[in-house]
Every structure is written in structure tokens, then in C-alpha cells.
Amino acid sequence: MNDRIIPRPAGPIPSCTCVPGTAGQAGTAEPAAAGGRFGPTHTLILLICVLALGSGLFLAGTPLDTVFTLLGGLGAIGAATLAAAGGSRRLVSVIAEAAVRSGAGK
């Protein structure tokens, strides 16, 4: 372990400028949000991962019904996570409505 003392600046500490355009707001310790949300790039990456996982499971000899069940469960977990993280009541209501309609056969 190192016992050296790290000097601290005497004046006020400048806000984080790691990401351009996200300097902290005056009077807060948190930097402003980067504005990056779930977008098309994230969707493409998830699509490629799901296709690769499904293909790998199939090539490993897993029956197709099991592969579809696993990938459907992963999709449901992902949708629930996005809904919970975003606090989106509308997304949760759309998912619940789709589940009720599919159960009713409409």
C-alpha cells in the first residue's frame, strides 16, 4: 500500500467536463444528464445478441421450443426492466393490455 499524501486544490473544484456539453449545473454536485437514452444503436446490438444466442443454442442441440421460450423470457425481462427504469406507466399498460388480449384470444 502506498502512504503518499495526494495534494488537494485550494480553490473550488471545477465541474466534470468528461463529456462535452454535460457540465454540472450551478449549485449541484451531479453533472447534467448526458441525454443518451435507449436508441436505435442499442436496439440493433440487442437484436444481434438475441439472434446470436438463439443460433448458438440451436447449434448446440437445444430444441426449438426451448430456444423460443428462453428468448421470450429474456425479452419479457428486458421489457419489464426498461419499464421499471424509465418509470413509464404507458409502456406497462400497453404490455398488460397485450397480455390480456392474447389471453382472451383477440
Side-chain angles (χ1 to χ4, degrees), residues 89-99:
R89 291 184 204 162
R90 184 169 184 231
L91 179 61
V92 172
S93 66
V94 167
I95 292 172
E97 182 180 349

Side-chain angles (χ1 to χ4, degrees), residues 8-32:
R8 296 184 180 216
I13 300 172
S15 62
C16 176
T17 57
C18 320
V19 180
T22 60
Q25 298 174 356
T28 63
E30 294 290 325

Side-chain angles (χ1 to χ4, degrees), residues 29-102:
E30 294 290 325
R37 298 233 176 224
F38 189 77
T41 306
H42 298 101
T43 306
L44 179 64
I45 291 170
L46 288 175
L47 177 65
I48 291 171
C49 290
V50 165
L51 291 175
L53 178 63
S55 299
L57 287 171
F58 177 71
L59 292 175
T62 307
L64 272 179
D65 59 342
T66 306
V67 171
F68 291 141
T69 303
L70 287 171
L71 293 180
L74 289 174
I77 291 170
T81 303
L82 283 175
S88 174
R89 291 184 204 162
R90 184 169 184 231
L91 179 61
V92 172
S93 66
V94 167
I95 292 172
E97 182 180 349
V100 168
R101 285 182 186 231
S102 69

